[in-house]
Amino acid sequence: MSSLIASRRYAWALLSAAEEGQFLDQATDALNSIKETLANSRDLVHVLRSPLINGDKKTHILEEVFKEIAGEKVMIFLRLLAHKKRAGQLPEIIGEYQKLLDEKNGVINVSINSAVMLSDEQAKDLVNKLANYTGKKVRAKMKLEEALLGGVTVKIEDTIIDGSVRHQLQMMKKSLLAGKL
């Protein structure tokens, strides 16, 4: 089974159990803390992914590192991952959990690149328009990209809306080279 499919299944199982057991907020908070810890510790991630370290040892490591931040039910889940030899996929499982939670809550992640820094009012207006366009709540990640020359590009999942001057100049060049204007 591919690791992405397995990660999504484990994430879905945890999300479902957390909803049914009414500990969704606690599980989400714990996973966010675990994600932060893993992001700051490459060694821990290497240990969890190592085939040389057995499941019992990984269970012990997970318990020692996360017993303070993970509740009892999340610890049960972490022990299950170690037992099923999936502890190395913990970062991916947490990522898939976040995607499923966002999907459930109607939240979409959007990347916005602009040639100049947008004012708070412009950014808020753009986010509101994107929310109306997608019909979902928008979590925007703003980035300055001076190479655009002007305008903005917006990435919504697999869709890119390119309203940049650079793109318009490229399209004009293409049409001039093709003999159409």
Side-chain angles (χ1 to χ4, degrees):
M1 179 183 324
S2 102
S3 66
L4 178 65
I5 293 171
S7 296
R8 192 156 185 89
R9 285 184 181 171
Y10 279 97
W12 182 84
L14 178 59
L15 182 64
S16 297
E19 284 180 306
E20 289 175 22
Q22 298 180 349
F23 63 96
L24 184 63
D25 291 338
Q26 297 91 336
T28 302
D29 291 343
L31 290 178
N32 286 334
S33 297
I34 292 169
K35 179 181 177 182
E36 188 177 317
T37 302
L38 292 173
N40 293 325
S41 177
R42 279 186 27 198
D43 292 340
L44 178 58
V45 174
H46 287 303
V47 165
L48 294 176
R49 290 191 173 151
S50 174
L52 301 175
I53 299 172
N54 69 30
D56 291 336
K57 184 69 174 169
K58 288 180 184 179
T59 300
H60 179 72
I61 291 168
L62 289 169
E63 287 174 347
E64 287 298 312
V65 173
F66 298 122
K67 66 182 172 189
E68 298 296 321
I69 53 178
E72 182 182 330
K73 293 175 181 168
V74 174
M75 279 309 305
I76 291 169
F77 178 74
L78 295 177
R79 286 186 204 105
L80 173 73
L81 290 179
H83 177 73
K84 295 287 188 177
K85 296 181 173 58
R86 298 286 184 182
Q89 290 179 261
L90 186 55
E92 291 81 10
I93 291 169
I94 294 172
E96 289 299 317
Y97 177 91
Q98 187 62 53
K99 286 179 188 174
L100 290 169
L101 185 63
D102 286 348
E103 208 174 281
K104 175 191 169 302
N105 292 331
V107 175
I108 191 164
N109 292 308
V110 175
S111 297
I112 300 172
N113 295 338
S114 64
V116 295
M117 192 60 107
L118 298 177
S119 70
D120 290 341
E121 186 177 321
Q122 290 172 322
K124 185 178 177 183
D125 188 42
L126 181 57
V127 167
N128 287 337
K129 287 180 181 179
L130 290 171
N132 288 336
Y133 174 75
T134 61
K136 297 182 178 185
K137 297 175 206 160
V138 172
R139 183 183 301 132
K141 180 180 166 190
M142 304 283 194
K143 184 179 170 188
L144 184 64
E145 188 178 336
E146 294 175 359
L148 295 177
L149 304 177
V152 297
T153 61
V154 177
K155 183 175 184 217
I156 305 169
E157 293 179 343
D158 295 336
T159 304
I160 297 175
I161 302 169
D162 195 340
S164 68
V165 172
R166 177 180 67 186
H167 177 69
Q168 292 172 8
L169 290 172
Q170 288 171 345
M171 296 304 290
M172 190 182 306
K173 178 182 177 183
K174 193 176 189 180
S175 65
L176 283 171
L177 292 174
K180 305 175 202 170
L181 186 63

